Amino acid sequence: MTQLHDLDAHAQAAALRAGEVTSVELVQHHLDRIDAHAGGLGAFIAVTHERALRRAAEADARLAGGDTAPFLGVPTAFKDLTATAGVTTTMGSALLRDQVPETDAHVVTLVERAGFVSLGKTNTPEFGLSSYTDNDLIGPARTPWDTSRTAGGSSGGAAAAVAARLLPLAPGSDGGGSIRIPASACGIFGFKPTRGRVSWGPDGNDWSGLAINGPLSRTVRDSAALLDAMAVPMPGDVRHLPAPAQPFTSWVGRDPGRLRIARWSGTHLPGVEPSADAVAAWEAASRLLESLGHEIVDLANPFPRELETQFNVIWPSGVASAQLPAEAEALLRPNTRYWRHRGLESSAVDLSRALSYLEQATRSVVTGLEDFDAMLTPTLGLPPQPTSWFNESGDPVEDHRRELLFTPYTGLYNMSGQPAASLPLHWTGDELPLPVGVMLAAHQGRDDLLFALCAQVEAATPWGDRVPPIGSPTA
């Protein structure tokens, strides 16, 4: 029997419109599941029970009055890097455990304008700096496929919640893979849009061009709809993209045509190779795409090694720029201090050179890929790792080395600005199967084509019937 939490956001919205369930009932159902399962998953830093039920009651009144917001009354939650007015926003840091913003981030305004009801704040690593989710507030986020293993990061809490059916979908953010990494680790769909596709709004900024908000969901159509809600340009956007000519949801189910797809599994990092599971997932995806009529062409990884060095100048500059009193340093996690000190060691000239190199090098790569419509790689180098694996050594340098082993592919598309998605097409053969994603990317501005391709893959090999132990009908 289909349960409310098994429905995707589209189906939940349809049930609300048909009067089969009220928003209060739907929200309470998900709050009950959060109360039962979120603690074991480390999925939420804060759950806003009373606020959510109040908003749900308001949604029911609006539905009765004929309000046409497309997802009115459907639950979601915001990553705890995202400012929400009147709700604690810690950014995953004990330093900010009591921070309560007075205004919403632009993405919150847009998602709530579409009718979604937020149930709280999802777990994230301190300042979103790592590819796994752990902090000194509630600890690690865990994949519902095996709770001894990481959910990935930095949108790990959001991905764990969606995979475990605590939410139908959730917005995340991605500066080096932070949507696609946890999507792969949790066995769901995650989509990083083209650079500039989602505005940072009047209070945010996109100084490095690396990070962007995007959707995590169990179905391609839900991600397309959430991006439709978020892809609203704002005056003053530095990297302005016009509103899409057609909704991204209109591309779901559209034939993408016969595409020429470049593929590689090698990394741009010496000594870093994908696991057998990652290669098996990539090979199976290649065969599937060929069976759908696409041309698959093998290439060597076209991205240069030096990108990693220059990325590591840019990445820590944001946290290094924060004005913190000396006593606040002691409240930061060791890895945060490591990245902060690395950022402080770089000069303005170093940063300028790094930004210039990224633009020039990725422009050359993308130009060389012009004859292809899409690109296929593994999403991650490894399956989800034990939660302790990333920081058991106590050495931030070793921790960073392990992050490179885990995620050598995703950050390249943040540097180039291309849209990229992780698809849950493969599981390991272990007693507790673990999800292993594959990544499809397209050229800048072709989010629409990428949605069409991902939806075609989903239709050919549906993944919705794969339910983790937490999320199953008996859980």
Side-chain angles (χ1 to χ4, degrees):
M1 177 179 175
T2 301
Q3 306 258 355
L4 287 173
H5 55 267
D6 291 323
L7 303 175
D8 74 354
H10 277 81
Q12 290 186 16
L16 286 164
R17 295 272 174 210
E20 297 169 3
V21 66
T22 68
S23 180
V24 168
E25 291 168 340
L26 186 62
V27 165
Q28 185 64 65
H29 177 85
H30 285 82
L31 287 171
D32 290 343
R33 288 186 58 76
I34 290 169
D35 290 342
H37 300 299
L41 290 171
F44 282 80
I45 288 181
V47 183
T48 54
H49 294 81
E50 293 182 5
R51 184 179 186 270
L53 289 169
R54 185 171 64 252
R55 295 287 180 90
E58 293 169 358
D60 284 330
R62 291 169 58 188
L63 283 164
D67 194 312
T68 59
F71 292 94
L72 187 54
V74 175
T76 190
F78 294 102
K79 185 176 178 179
D80 207 32
L81 294 183
T82 307
T84 47
V87 179
T88 302
T89 301
T90 70
M91 302 188 75
S93 178
L95 185 64
L96 302 176
R97 65 168 69 246
D98 298 319
Q99 175 179 258
V100 180
E102 295 182 357
T103 58
D104 285 327
H106 183 51
V107 70
V108 172
T109 300
L110 293 174
V111 171
E112 291 188 340
R113 184 182 299 170
F116 289 101
V117 175
S118 175
L119 309 192
K121 305 303 291 293
T122 56
N123 199 6
T124 188
E126 190 164 52
F127 304 128
L129 287 173
S130 61
S131 59
Y132 58 94
T133 297
D134 197 357
N135 55 49
D136 291 336
L137 294 166
I138 67 165
R142 305 168 185 272
T143 177
W145 293 91
D146 178 351
T147 55
S148 71
R149 296 176 181 266
T150 182
S154 63
S155 304
V162 172
R165 272 67 173 166
L166 311 185
L167 298 169
L169 82 183
S173 57
D174 191 319
S178 290
I179 287 171
R180 292 157 290 151
I181 296 165
S184 179
C186 292
I188 62 172
F189 181 72
F191 191 98
K192 182 199 82 69
T194 293
R195 177 183 292 145
R197 177 67 70 195
V198 179
S199 172
W200 287 100
D203 296 325
N205 67 78
D206 182 26
W207 70 271
S208 71
L210 294 174
I212 190 166
N213 289 294
L216 290 144
S217 65
R218 297 192 299 270
T219 61
V220 174
R221 68 175 185 171
D222 273 3
S223 278
L226 190 53
L227 186 56
D228 280 331
M230 293 191 289
V232 179
M234 287 285 287
D237 286 345
V238 174
R239 296 175 175 86
H240 177 81
L241 282 179
Q246 298 175 320
F248 293 120
T249 48
S250 72
W251 287 79
V252 175
R254 185 181 300 193
D255 184 357
R258 186 173 190 267
L259 304 181
R260 195 162 186 253
I261 301 174
R263 74 165 197 161
W264 59 87
S265 64
T267 80
H268 68 302
L269 301 171
V272 177
E273 298 296 334
S275 68
D277 286 312
V279 173
W282 172 77
E283 291 282 15
S286 300
R287 293 191 295 271
L288 174 61
L289 289 164
E290 282 187 321
S291 75
L292 293 172
H294 303 298
E295 180 187 0
I296 307 299
V297 180
D298 284 295
L299 295 182
N301 190 319
F303 289 91
R305 172 184 179 179
E306 182 62 18
L307 280 171
E308 178 65 21
T309 302
Q310 300 307 323
F311 180 89
N312 288 336
V313 173
I314 300 167
W315 185 244
S317 296
V319 69
S321 67
Q323 299 293 318
L324 299 179
E327 60 270 20
E329 291 275 344
L331 294 176
L332 299 176
R333 287 171 67 88
N335 279 6
T336 306
R337 292 199 298 270
Y338 165 78
W339 284 111
R340 179 169 164 80
H341 292 158
R342 283 195 66 165
L344 290 169
E345 289 171 355
S346 299
S347 69
V349 172
D350 294 331
L351 180 58
S352 176
R353 287 173 176 164
L355 288 166
S356 296
Y357 180 83
L358 253 65
E359 180 176 347
Q360 293 165 3
T362 58
R363 186 190 299 272
S364 176
V365 169
V366 172
T367 300
L369 292 170
E370 280 188 317
D371 289 340
F372 300 95
D373 302 294
M375 305 90 212
L376 172 70
T377 70
T379 303
L380 300 176
L382 301 171
Q385 296 298 295
T387 56
S388 61
W389 186 71
F390 290 103
N391 52 27
E392 64 187 356
S393 73
D395 179 3
V397 176
E398 172 61 15
D399 181 73
H400 178 50
R401 186 188 76 84
R402 294 185 185 192
E403 289 197 76
L404 293 179
L405 294 173
F406 186 48
T407 176
Y409 302 100
T410 54
L412 297 170
Y413 292 120
N414 297 84
M415 296 184 232
S416 68
Q418 295 168 260
S422 181
L423 292 78
L425 295 181
H426 187 80
W427 273 258
T428 66
D430 304 325
E431 183 177 347
L432 282 176
L434 298 171
V436 180
V438 296
M439 186 162 57
L440 283 167
H443 288 289
Q444 288 189 3
R446 292 315 313 267
D447 310 65
D448 46 12
L449 179 66
L450 186 55
F451 273 122
L453 178 59
C454 291
Q456 183 189 50
V457 170
E458 180 186 31
T461 307
W463 53 71
D465 59 346
R466 298 293 299 255
V467 182
I470 296 179
S472 67
T474 57

